[in-house]
Amino acid sequence: NGTDIAKVNGYAAFKKLELLRKDKRLYFEHIAIGADQSNTAKRTLKVDADLFNATLITKVPLNKLDYYFKSLTNRYLNVFDSTYKSSLATEDLFADFELINAQPFLDFFAEGIKVAPHSTLHMEIDPLATKAVSMQAKTDYIDLYGTKLNDVQVLMNTGAGKLNMVLNVYSLALSDSFVIMQPCISAVAGRNELRYFLSMNEEAKR
């Protein structure tokens, strides 16, 4: 029920849902969406489908999530307009996401990119805590137009007024004969400054 997308509560289920765009097709065997705000002011949004599962718990209205993340980013790096500052950036957020089968999405929206099944993302944000942001994403592989990254892990956390990001990869295959083993890219954002670092155990194997 509800007419405002930010205030909608209830449950909806669909079977054999098909999205079409030009000559592309995205097909869901089933998808169920539930929104509940019965527990305090926080809204729980759950999506269960054959291609992905997702859970989002937050007080931030759904139509303000973009504003929320931009406002939070501006705490560490002013990359968005200064208007992205509001009380929304003090609200906490919990998110879990699993791509059971990412390929149909990628073929529909970003052809040429491949991601392993059962890739996951877990995020917790509490802007008033010392460690305001904690995020972890994992996938067995990512193939970017022929460049393959194996056993990929992305970590993000905050501390001492800085946002820390780390990308760990077991192997980066630029071609069949050139493989970089265990590269690690890290970045630190804070005080309107962004710094990058690159390290690896073994430069290349042929």
Side-chain angles (χ1 to χ4, degrees):
N1 55 54
T3 57
D4 184 342
I5 188 172
K7 298 178 181 178
V8 168
N9 284 296
Y11 176 86
F14 306 90
K15 288 186 177 182
K16 303 186 185 302
L17 179 65
E18 186 175 54
L19 302 179
L20 300 174
R21 182 168 66 89
K22 294 183 178 180
D23 59 339
K24 296 182 179 180
R25 169 180 175 268
L26 179 60
Y27 177 78
F28 291 88
E29 183 64 32
H30 66 85
I31 183 168
I33 305 171
D36 178 27
Q37 199 170 355
S38 59
N39 184 14
T40 69
K42 292 184 182 179
R43 179 185 305 277
T44 298
L45 177 67
K46 289 189 176 184
V47 181
D48 294 307
D50 52 306
L51 300 183
F52 73 95
N53 294 320
T55 299
L56 176 67
I57 303 173
T58 184
K59 190 178 178 179
V60 180
L62 297 179
N63 58 352
K64 297 289 186 180
L65 284 174
D66 177 63
Y67 194 98
Y68 171 79
F69 283 111
K70 288 179 178 178
S71 178
L72 192 63
T73 300
N74 274 352
R75 281 183 165 201
Y76 307 98
L77 200 63
N78 290 325
V79 293
F80 300 109
D81 190 276
S82 60
T83 57
Y84 288 102
K85 293 180 181 179
S86 79
S87 59
L88 283 178
T90 65
E91 300 296 343
D92 58 322
L93 178 145
F94 170 89
D96 254 330
F97 190 76
E98 179 186 12
L99 273 172
I100 298 171
N101 183 5
Q103 212 49 53
F105 283 104
L106 295 171
D107 291 342
F108 191 76
F109 293 108
E111 193 172 5
I113 299 176
K114 299 178 181 179
V115 175
H118 301 287
S119 300
T120 60
L121 181 146
H122 176 81
M123 178 182 291
E124 293 184 44
I125 299 176
D126 184 355
L128 301 181
T130 302
K131 293 185 177 180
V133 178
S134 176
M135 188 273 283
Q136 182 181 66
K138 291 181 178 181
T139 184
D140 287 342
Y141 66 81
I142 300 175
D143 190 317
L144 301 172
Y145 307 100
T147 297
K148 192 169 184 179
L149 296 83
N150 292 298
D151 195 4
V152 181
Q153 182 183 56
V154 181
L155 302 172
M156 183 184 297
N157 59 66
T158 56
K162 295 180 180 180
L163 179 65
N164 306 295
M165 296 161 281
V166 178
L167 169 64
N168 288 311
V169 179
Y170 177 72
S171 65
L172 170 60
L174 301 175
S175 69
D176 290 341
S177 59
F178 188 77
V179 180
I180 299 174
M181 299 301 297
Q182 298 181 9
C184 174
I185 301 172
S186 59
V188 178
R191 299 185 180 90
N192 206 27
E193 180 184 44
L194 182 62
R195 292 179 293 165
Y196 293 91
F197 306 90
L198 173 64
S199 63
M200 60 191 72
N201 285 357
E202 205 172 323
E203 286 192 3
K205 282 188 175 180
R206 291 183 180 273

